[in-house]
Amino acid sequence: MKSTKGSACPVERGEEEILLRYCAGTLAAEGAAQLEGHVTSCSRCRMWVQEQQMVWRALESWELEPVTADFDAALLARIAREKEARPGWRGWWERAVGAWSGGLEWRVAVPAAALALLLAAGLAVTNPFRGEPVETAVRLEAREIEQAERALEDLEMLRQLEPPEEDKKL
Amino acid sequence: MMAVATFEHDAELMLRVRDGDAQSFSLLLAKHRGPVIHFLYRMIQNQAVAEELAQEVFLRVYRSRASYEPTAKFTTWLFRIASHVALNHIRDGKHERHQESLDGEGTEGIGRQVASRAPTVEQEMVRESRLAEVRRTVESLPAKQRAAVLMHKYQEMDYAQIAAALECSESAVKSLLFRAYETLRAKLAHLAGRG
Ligand SMILES: [Zn+2]
């Protein structure tokens, strides 16, 4: 146990990464059992694992706020508005709505979403969440333009999404 | 087995979106909206901004449907977009603008939540201060380390997936995670000792 080279201690070997995987529960059962034997007898590793588990628990205590109820409606309304602005997309949308057997819900949902968005824009004047409320509408317009400009950038980025990692694993 | 089934299912849905099926987009949205918003919230620590950025993420998913190829696991692809959006937002310095409202509305909101169910005022305060410390510490991490930890801890993504999402090597991910957890251990490990 004294020699770093032949040591079974990940901390001594500078290979704490295996302890991280042990704590995350992503080690294979056999490796985990073996490491557990070491951890119970090694104070340095035990300390490391305890601290990591405390971090784990601290992160798990982080509660989240619920998602705004009209999130989907707002998104669908934005998509619908984009289609208005860019007729090339309209065909896809109309085919999609027409092809889908539950299309009725969309036909209701999209205008409803648009209405919700209008209401939201109106409410934004007094909405404490947003910083400069009166400018909201103007800024939305500016954002639309910015987003359209970003579409090309997106395409470029998404084209680079070829993942050799997945192939390597097979 | 689960992973394979999920992979095929999500990718299949996305291919249907590509072919014009609006319902498949709704299904993907319903399934991934929560994880994406939560990831962005933990990155930015402002709920309203996180939701705005999540809208952008799904808009990008939608816009790129025509060129979508199921070469990666769908969630990896999705979190690549989400990371990209979050890191851009932070890089552009938009992040700082929200600091005021973060302290204001955020803490107040937590206080209210806790008040409705915690037994004593003292326990509330301890809990609140612990949560604030967790948030502050995570926020203090460099953005890429933060993204790596959040995907590792909350999305349970493996190194290869995180590497693909952050456009770096697996060894870079190991290093990001190692440094991030080192900081977190140094700053948060004492929290558990407080009961
Ligand atoms: Zn050891």
Side-chain angles (χ1 to χ4, degrees):
Chain A
M1 283 287 189
K2 288 287 169 220
S3 146
T4 307
K5 201 76 176 164
S7 171
C9 177
V11 172
E12 277 182 26
R13 287 202 312 261
E15 292 171 5
E16 290 95 335
E17 197 268 325
I18 196 170
L19 290 172
L20 181 58
R21 282 192 284 148
Y22 169 74
C23 292
T26 54
L27 271 188
E30 197 188 338
Q34 210 173 359
L35 194 58
E36 191 160 304
H38 172 78
V39 168
T40 46
S41 65
C42 172
S43 59
R44 291 170 78 183
C45 285
R46 203 165 54 237
M47 173 82 92
W48 199 103
V49 166
Q50 276 169 1
E51 286 183 356
Q52 183 64 26
Q53 284 169 342
M54 287 171 191
V55 166
W56 222 243
R57 278 201 293 276
L59 291 175
E60 274 159 13
S61 71
W62 192 349
E63 290 175 8
L64 296 166
E65 294 176 39
V67 174
T68 310
D70 68 350
F71 181 86
D72 288 12
L75 178 65
L76 296 176
R78 279 176 75 169
I79 289 175
R81 274 187 297 134
E82 256 191 32
K83 288 178 180 313
E84 290 298 318
R86 309 171 80 195
W89 295 25
R90 184 180 277 172
W92 181 88
W93 183 252
E94 278 164 3
R95 256 183 293 126
V97 172
W100 179 36
S101 54
L104 184 62
E105 283 171 48
W106 279 80
R107 276 178 221 122
V108 176
V110 173
L115 180 65
L117 204 86
L118 279 175
L119 283 174
L123 285 174
V125 176
T126 52
N127 186 348
F129 269 148
R130 317 208 184 260
E132 306 90 346
V134 185
E135 292 167 31
T136 300
V138 179
R139 283 166 58 229
L140 270 178
E141 285 302 311
R143 283 192 50 162
E144 295 301 317
I145 295 164
E146 189 189 330
Q147 277 161 6
E149 283 168 352
R150 279 195 180 178
L152 281 174
E153 179 202 327
D154 290 348
L155 278 177
E156 197 45 51
M157 178 188 80
L158 293 163
R159 214 168 276 137
Q160 296 161 9
L161 287 176
E162 308 303 319
E165 291 83 0
E166 296 291 328
D167 300 332
K168 270 189 249 154
K169 277 203 301 191
L170 292 176
Chain B
M1 289 300 124
M2 250 326 259
V4 173
T6 310
F7 162 63
E8 286 171 348
H9 186 59
D10 286 344
E12 205 176 291
L13 286 175
M14 192 59 202
L15 287 174
R16 285 196 216 136
V17 174
R18 188 182 71 180
D19 296 340
D21 180 10
Q23 191 184 19
S24 292
F25 185 72
S26 283
L27 289 173
L28 282 172
L29 186 57
K31 182 174 171 194
H32 297 286
R33 169 213 309 123
V36 166
I37 293 174
H38 294 159
F39 169 74
L40 291 167
Y41 170 71
R42 287 179 167 126
M43 281 298 287
I44 310 293
Q45 301 206 15
N46 177 304
Q47 184 73 15
V49 175
E51 290 194 15
E52 247 178 75
L53 294 179
Q55 294 257 327
E56 199 170 317
V57 169
F58 285 106
L59 213 52
R60 286 178 184 216
V61 167
Y62 176 78
R63 282 177 190 150
S64 57
R65 70 196 176 282
S67 59
Y68 177 75
E69 293 293 341
T71 45
K73 192 174 169 186
F74 179 79
T75 44
T76 304
W77 183 70
L78 181 64
F79 274 85
R80 185 161 184 173
I81 299 173
S83 302
H84 190 83
V85 166
L87 294 174
N88 269 353
H89 177 86
I90 292 166
R91 187 201 58 204
D92 294 350
K94 292 172 187 166
H95 191 41
E96 271 63 43
R97 286 206 320 228
H98 305 297
Q99 293 308 303
E100 276 182 22
S101 60
L102 171 71
D103 293 337
E105 98 199 4
T107 314
E108 199 191 324
I110 291 151
R112 273 199 309 270
Q113 273 179 13
V114 173
S116 62
R117 71 189 116 119
T120 72
V121 173
E122 201 181 333
Q123 279 169 323
E124 275 170 38
M125 286 171 67
V126 169
R127 231 173 91 98
E128 207 174 303
S129 82
R130 287 173 61 152
L131 183 54
E133 198 162 345
V134 171
R135 288 172 54 153
R136 240 191 339 267
T137 308
V138 170
E139 195 180 23
S140 76
L141 295 173
K144 227 167 169 178
Q145 285 185 30
R146 203 185 321 161
V149 161
L150 296 179
M151 285 188 270
H152 182 251
K153 174 69 188 90
Y154 298 107
Q155 261 57 56
E156 297 182 354
M157 288 165 70
D158 61 29
Y159 297 160
Q161 289 174 285
I162 298 170
L166 292 178
E167 300 174 76
C168 62
S169 67
E170 280 187 48
S171 61
V173 168
K174 280 185 193 175
S175 159
L176 284 172
L177 285 176
F178 189 77
R179 280 178 286 149
Y181 281 123
E182 204 165 35
T183 305
L184 294 175
R185 280 197 306 277
K187 293 188 181 176
L188 294 181
H190 70 280
L191 282 181
R194 286 201 221 146

